[in-house]
Amino acid sequence: PPESDCAPAPASAAGTPQVDPEVVALWAPIHGIAVLCSVGALACLPADDRTACFDATLAAALRGIT
């Protein structure tokens, strides 16, 4: 999206934008599976299957940061 459509990034104490790439790397798959399971391609799966997909995604993301 155009930069004018983007929310400002959180600022550091010095007032400069600050985004932690490691936090984004953990957040992205969790956000992705949450969207897929709530309103996306996986939303029609039975609840147990959606839970299994979410659990597998969370486990993979957490393995990636340890």
Side-chain angles (χ1 to χ4, degrees):
E3 282 190 35
S4 61
D5 292 345
C6 296
S12 68
T16 57
Q18 180 178 337
V19 175
D20 184 339
E22 291 181 7
V23 172
V24 173
L26 178 59
W27 168 81
I30 305 306
H31 174 72
I33 196 66
V35 170
L36 286 170
C37 287
S38 61
V39 296
L42 304 179
C44 293
L45 292 177
D48 288 346
D49 291 344
R50 291 192 314 267
T51 298
C53 289
F54 185 84
D55 289 347
T57 301
L58 180 59
L62 292 175
R63 274 192 309 273
I65 62 169
T66 58

